[in-house]
Amino acid sequence: MFTHAEENYLKAIFHLEQETQGEVSTNAIAEQMETKPSSVTDMVQKLADKELLSYKKYKGALLTQTGRKKAADVIRKHRLWEVFLVDKLNFHWDEVHPIAEQLEHIQSAELIERLDRFLGSPDFDPHGDPIPDQHGNIKRTEKKLLSELQKGQRGVCVGVKESSSDFLQYLDRKKITIGTKIHVLGKEFFDGSMILRVRDQQFFISKKTSENLFVQIQES
Amino acid sequence: MFTHAEENYLKAIFHLEQETQGEVSTNAIAEQMETKPSSVTDMVQKLADKELLSYKKYKGALLTQTGRKKAADVIRKHRLWEVFLVDKLNFHWDEVHPIAEQLEHIQSAELIERLDRFLGSPDFDPHGDPIPDQHGNIKRTEKKLLSELQKGQRGVCVGVKESSSDFLQYLDRKKITIGTKIHVLGKEFFDGSMILRVRDQQFFISKKTSENLFVQIQES
DNA sequence: CTATAAAATTAGACTAGTCTAAAAATATTT
DNA sequence: AAATATTTTTAGACTAGTCTAATTTTATAG
Ligand SMILES: [Mn+2]
Ligand SMILES: [Mn+2]
Ligand SMILES: [Mn+2]
Ligand SMILES: [Mn+2]
């Protein structure tokens, strides 16, 4: 139905739409896809011809309903495969993304339906990202960046914003993972760094770290 | 490392080498791959440049050690995924081939090693074909076509030669599958048809069927 | 409001893979 | 051994996807 390249573009544009809340620029797509803007223009025009997105020259791209559904399908597959890799094959959460990047392109509705059942219809992938359902709907949960918490607040880690290997391995060394309870003991105005209490231990974390960890606030 | 097309060609040539015991012709590859001979010539020359096979114009192709190992790797992946689809996702054995045709191209040595362990390092795929090991070695077992058995001989079904959906579904209706015990009650010289005893029931099968079922002879 | 900078598009080239049509080599038949 | 048929290769064209370099449009600054 669609090529790998087309699917990767749709996915990238889908993610960028969340951030920009509107038309996505050629340069933004190029950066995300690690290609040149001229290549993006070509592909965006092709996807517009296929009515997967609307596009006016110099005005950026916006997915159509069809395009958004297709993008959600790819993301659903990506995240389900990540769950498979971690839960069933015991991969580490920092290793699965590049493999899922390939597996997300396997074409078979039956396969993904059975995989979903096999995995127990999970709601989230190993990085805490929600898995779209068959209809492309994504469960939005209340989550905030750790950096938004104030001194004294408590939260549970529910996901990561960046999921680079470096960051995930850093979290591992600090024994922070999905489900870890965090108590903000202090926050430095100067550089945005924080002091946390995690499992009766004190941690110092940088602003960069706190801006890449999603938490659900615990009322206390 | 290699493209999907290259891997598919290597696999096709590998299979054809088994049959022809020597150089594989351009036309044979074209038929197997469902492409035109001119396309095959192009690709064979490319694979020869990469030293995956040896090729002299008009003389056919023969895999090198490197090429044969690579082909076995792809076949290993194909068959392991088929086991996964049948054993874990409960697909039927006639549905898995086209999906495995895609999955076999996923690049990750770690993945296939873990998949193998997860499946309990199976020796055969759902159609009874042997799964090459990490080094590309294939366990050769004593098996004959059912058509080679004589009246009175007994065997156990250990595989199918053709694995089209039509044939596999026909076998299902006859309740013949891997492990089924077969007793040859009679064989017609005229058309090669056979009368079998399977689970205390008599079956008539055509020559075409008996030439596509592999059995292991049971000494009696 | 004009000059400059940034962003986006177009033009043209390249690789991978495929095809059709034509030419060349090999095999088969008479 | 020549004629014919079959197989294989080449030549040239096409699509998908990418790139560089040049051009055009839009945004920003003075
Ligand atoms: Mn991922
Ligand atoms: Mn991908
Ligand atoms: Mn198969
Ligand atoms: Mn394949």
Side-chain angles (χ1 to χ4, degrees):
Chain A
M1 198 64 163
F2 299 101
T3 66
H4 290 200
E6 286 171 338
E7 291 188 339
N8 286 334
Y9 272 95
L10 289 174
K11 196 162 56 99
I13 295 167
F14 182 97
H15 289 313
L16 289 167
E17 273 187 7
Q18 316 288 112
E19 292 174 19
T20 61
Q21 301 289 353
E23 280 79 9
V24 178
S25 76
T26 302
N27 272 356
I29 300 171
E31 194 183 352
Q32 178 92 0
M33 297 284 300
E34 297 182 46
T35 53
K36 301 292 167 181
S38 56
S39 307
V40 173
T41 301
D42 276 0
M43 182 57 94
V44 160
Q45 289 176 344
K46 201 180 318 176
L47 294 172
D49 289 346
K50 296 196 179 183
E51 306 203 321
L52 293 165
L53 49 80
S54 63
Y55 163 74
K56 287 201 206 72
K57 271 188 201 171
Y58 299 102
K59 298 296 176 197
L62 206 60
L63 294 176
T64 60
Q65 275 310 104
T66 324
R68 188 165 294 114
K69 171 61 164 62
K70 181 62 201 167
D73 281 349
V74 178
I75 291 165
R76 171 172 165 80
K77 288 195 276 181
H78 181 107
R79 293 182 178 164
L80 281 172
W81 279 116
E82 283 190 345
V83 172
F84 169 71
L85 294 172
V86 168
D87 285 10
K88 302 296 182 179
L89 299 193
N90 302 118
F91 270 98
H92 200 269
W93 70 340
D94 72 305
E95 306 172 306
V96 296
H97 184 79
I99 303 177
E101 201 57 47
Q102 301 177 61
L103 285 163
E104 70 189 358
H105 304 293
I106 303 292
Q107 304 287 3
S108 168
E110 178 76 9
L111 170 62
I112 209 65
E113 202 179 297
R114 283 176 184 267
L115 181 65
D116 178 56
R117 238 177 298 148
F118 180 59
L119 299 173
S121 299
D123 291 320
F124 299 96
D125 83 3
H127 312 110
D129 296 313
I131 298 173
D133 68 17
Q134 294 98 314
H135 312 295
N137 301 316
I138 299 180
K139 223 172 271 175
R140 290 253 151 264
T141 54
E142 267 312 310
K143 65 182 179 186
K144 285 194 167 165
L145 288 176
L146 176 54
S147 56
E148 296 173 63
L149 296 212
Q150 299 308 317
K151 179 174 172 179
Q153 285 193 290
R154 292 157 193 273
V156 177
C157 174
V158 293
V160 292
K161 188 171 176 195
E162 165 170 342
S163 59
S164 70
S165 209
D166 278 349
F167 182 50
L168 298 179
Q169 285 176 17
Y170 166 74
L171 293 180
D172 278 339
R173 286 195 298 276
K174 297 293 180 193
K175 300 265 191 297
I176 295 175
T177 184
I178 311 279
T180 302
K181 286 176 192 155
I182 291 167
H183 184 182
V184 178
L185 299 181
K187 191 171 174 183
E188 191 60 61
F189 279 100
F190 164 60
D191 61 0
S193 63
M194 283 176 154
I195 306 235
L196 311 177
R197 177 171 289 280
V198 176
R199 280 184 306 275
D200 293 327
Q201 270 197 298
Q202 274 191 218
F203 280 128
F204 169 90
I205 62 163
S206 69
K207 189 181 182 192
K208 186 168 179 192
T209 297
S210 70
E211 284 177 333
N212 280 295
L213 261 185
F214 285 118
V215 293
Q216 212 160 42
I217 295 179
Q218 302 278 286
E219 308 302 337
S220 53
Chain B
M1 198 63 165
F2 299 101
T3 65
H4 290 199
E6 285 172 338
E7 290 188 340
N8 286 334
Y9 271 95
L10 289 174
K11 195 162 57 101
I13 296 167
F14 182 98
H15 289 314
L16 289 167
E17 273 188 7
Q18 316 289 112
E19 291 174 19
T20 62
Q21 301 289 353
E23 279 80 10
V24 178
S25 77
T26 301
N27 271 356
I29 300 171
E31 195 182 350
Q32 178 90 2
M33 297 284 301
E34 299 182 47
T35 53
K36 301 293 167 181
S38 55
S39 307
V40 173
T41 301
D42 276 0
M43 181 57 95
V44 160
Q45 289 175 343
K46 201 183 317 179
L47 294 173
D49 289 344
K50 296 196 180 185
E51 307 204 316
L52 292 166
L53 50 79
S54 64
Y55 164 74
K56 285 200 208 73
K57 271 187 202 173
Y58 299 100
K59 297 298 176 194
L62 205 60
L63 294 175
T64 59
Q65 276 310 105
T66 323
R68 188 165 294 114
K69 170 60 163 63
K70 181 64 203 166
D73 281 351
V74 178
I75 292 165
R76 172 174 165 78
K77 288 194 277 182
H78 181 108
R79 293 181 178 165
L80 281 172
W81 279 117
E82 284 189 344
V83 173
F84 168 73
L85 295 171
V86 169
D87 286 10
K88 302 296 182 179
L89 299 194
N90 301 117
F91 270 99
H92 200 270
W93 69 339
D94 72 303
E95 306 172 306
V96 296
H97 184 80
I99 303 177
E101 201 59 47
Q102 301 177 61
L103 285 164
E104 71 189 357
H105 303 294
I106 303 292
Q107 304 288 1
S108 167
E110 179 76 9
L111 170 62
I112 209 65
E113 202 180 296
R114 284 176 184 268
L115 181 65
D116 178 57
R117 239 177 296 150
F118 180 60
L119 299 172
S121 298
D123 291 321
F124 300 95
D125 82 4
H127 312 109
D129 296 313
I131 298 173
D133 67 17
Q134 293 96 317
H135 312 295
N137 300 316
I138 299 180
K139 224 173 269 174
R140 289 253 153 264
T141 54
E142 267 313 310
K143 65 181 181 187
K144 285 191 166 165
L145 288 175
L146 176 55
S147 57
E148 297 174 63
L149 295 213
Q150 299 308 317
K151 178 176 172 178
Q153 285 194 289
R154 292 160 192 270
V156 177
C157 174
V158 294
V160 293
K161 188 171 177 193
E162 166 170 341
S163 58
S164 70
S165 208
D166 278 350
F167 182 50
L168 298 180
Q169 286 177 16
Y170 166 75
L171 293 179
D172 277 339
R173 287 195 296 277
K174 296 294 179 192
K175 300 266 191 298
I176 294 175
T177 184
I178 310 281
T180 302
K181 286 177 189 155
I182 292 167
H183 185 181
V184 179
L185 299 180
K187 189 172 176 181
E188 192 60 61
F189 279 100
F190 165 60
D191 62 0
S193 63
M194 283 178 155
I195 307 238
L196 310 178
R197 176 171 289 281
V198 175
R199 279 184 306 275
D200 293 326
Q201 270 197 297
Q202 273 190 217
F203 279 129
F204 168 89
I205 62 163
S206 70
K207 189 182 183 190
K208 186 168 179 192
T209 297
S210 70
E211 283 176 336
N212 279 296
L213 260 185
F214 285 119
V215 293
Q216 212 160 42
I217 296 179
Q218 303 276 287
E219 308 301 339
S220 53

